[in-house]
C-alpha cells in the first residue's frame, strides 16, 4: 500500500494525514473484496524496514494501527470478515499487540473474507524464522534432513494456513517487491498502477481484478495453442 506520504506531500499535508487517507482505502478495498467473494486479502501494513522511519512517524503509525483495529470491529463484523496477522508481531508496541489479539478474537467466528495484516513483516525474516524452526526440529530429532522439501518450508512460514497469493497489486508505480511474501508469490500475477494508495479505491481495484481475469496463467507450462 504505497504512496501515503507522497499523497500528503502533494497536498501540503503532514505524512500522517496520508496514512489516515490510506486507512479509508483499506476500508473500501476490504468491503469490495467481501462483496466479490474474495477469500483472502493480505495488506502490507508495516514492514520490518519501516521501523527505520522517523520515530515520530512510527509512533503515529502505531497509534493509528491501534485505533483502527478497535474502531473497525463493528464494520468488519457486519461484513463477515475474519482478521489474521503475519510478521514478527512481538516487535509491535504492547498496546498494539493486545488490541490486535482482541480484534482477531472478536472476529474469529466470521466465515467470509480473511483480512491478513502484514505487520513488522519482512519476507527474508520470515524465511529465517522458518529455517530456525526446521533447525530446532532437526536438533530435537523430530525432523530428518531428508524430510526438508518445499512443502516442509511452506508449512513453517507465517502463512502456513493460507493459500499462496494469485495477484500482487503494487500502487504508486513502484517496480519492486519490497521484501513481501517472496516465497509465496512465485507464481502470482503482478499488477502495477501509478495511483497512490490513498486514491486506490473501488474503480482502481476492479480494474486490477479485470486485468488479472484476462491473464493466461501457465505456472511454467505451455499455454493453449503453443504446443510444438
Amino acid at each position: 500500500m504505497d504512496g501515503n506520504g507522497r499523497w500528503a506531500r502533494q497536498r501540503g499535508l503532514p505524512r500522517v494525514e496520508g496514512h489516515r487517507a490510506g486507512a479509508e482505502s483499506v476500508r473500501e478495498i476490504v468491503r469490495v473484496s467481501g462483496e466479490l467473494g474474495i477469500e483472502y486479502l493480505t495488506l502490507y501494513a508495516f514492514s520490518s524496514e519501516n521501523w527505520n522511519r522517523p520515530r515520530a512517524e512510527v509512533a503515529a503509525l502505531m497509534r493509528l494501527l491501534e485505533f483502527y483495529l478497535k474502531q473497525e470491529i463493528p464494520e468488519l463484523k457486519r461484513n463477515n470478515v475474519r482478521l489474521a496477522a503475519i510478521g514478527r508481531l512481538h516487535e509491535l508496541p504492547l498496546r498494539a499487540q493486545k488490541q490486535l489479539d482482541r480484534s482477531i478474537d472478536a472476529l474469529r467466528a466470521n466465515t467470509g473474507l480473511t483480512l491478513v495484516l502484514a505487520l513488522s513483516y519482512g519476507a527474508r525474516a520470515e524465511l529465517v524464522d522458518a529455517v530456525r524452526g526446521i533447525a530446532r526440529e532437526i536438533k530435537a530429532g523430530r525432523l530428518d534432513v531428508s524430510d526438508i522439501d518445499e512443502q516442509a518450508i511452506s508449512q513453517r512460514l507465517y502463512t502456513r494456513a493460507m493459500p499462496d497469493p494469485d495477484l500482487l497489486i503494487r500502487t504508486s508505480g513502484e517496480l519492486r517487491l519490497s521484501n513481501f511474501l517472496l516465497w509465496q508469490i512465485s507464481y502470482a500475477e503482478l499488477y502495477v498502477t501509478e495511483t497512490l494508495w490513498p486514491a486506490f479505491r473501488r474503480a482502481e481495484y476492479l480494474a486490477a481484478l479485470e486485468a488479472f481475469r484476462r491473464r493466461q496463467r501457465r505456472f511454467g507450462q505451455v499455454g493453449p495453442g503453443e504446443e510444438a
Side-chain angles (χ1 to χ4, degrees), residues 176-211:
R176 57 180 181 270
L177 298 176
S178 296
N179 200 17
F180 183 57
L181 298 177
L182 298 180
W183 177 278
Q184 297 90 333
I185 63 171
S186 296
Y187 286 101
E189 296 293 320
L190 307 183
Y191 179 88
V192 178
T193 174
E194 295 290 334
T195 302
L196 303 178
W197 176 252
F200 189 86
R201 302 296 172 93
R202 177 183 290 265
E204 285 278 353
Y205 189 33
L206 294 178
L209 295 176
E210 175 59 22

Side-chain angles (χ1 to χ4, degrees), residues 60-72:
L61 284 169
M62 291 298 109
R63 288 194 297 271
L64 283 174
L65 172 64
E66 184 182 345
F67 172 78
Y68 282 110
L69 281 171
K70 183 177 181 179
Q71 176 180 280
E72 293 302 308

Side-chain angles (χ1 to χ4, degrees), residues 39-58:
E39 295 181 3
Y40 284 85
L41 173 67
T42 302
L43 300 178
Y44 204 0
F46 192 86
S47 74
S48 52
E49 292 81 12
N50 287 158
W51 292 114
N52 297 320
R53 291 187 175 187
R55 185 177 300 178
E57 182 178 354
V58 171

Side-chain angles (χ1 to χ4, degrees), residues 1-2 37 40 44 74 78 87-88 129 137 172 188 199 209 218 220:
M1 300 183 291
D2 219 25
Y40 284 85
Y44 204 0
R78 281 194 298 271
R88 289 181 171 173
D129 289 346
E137 291 183 57
S172 81
L209 295 176
R218 300 176 182 174

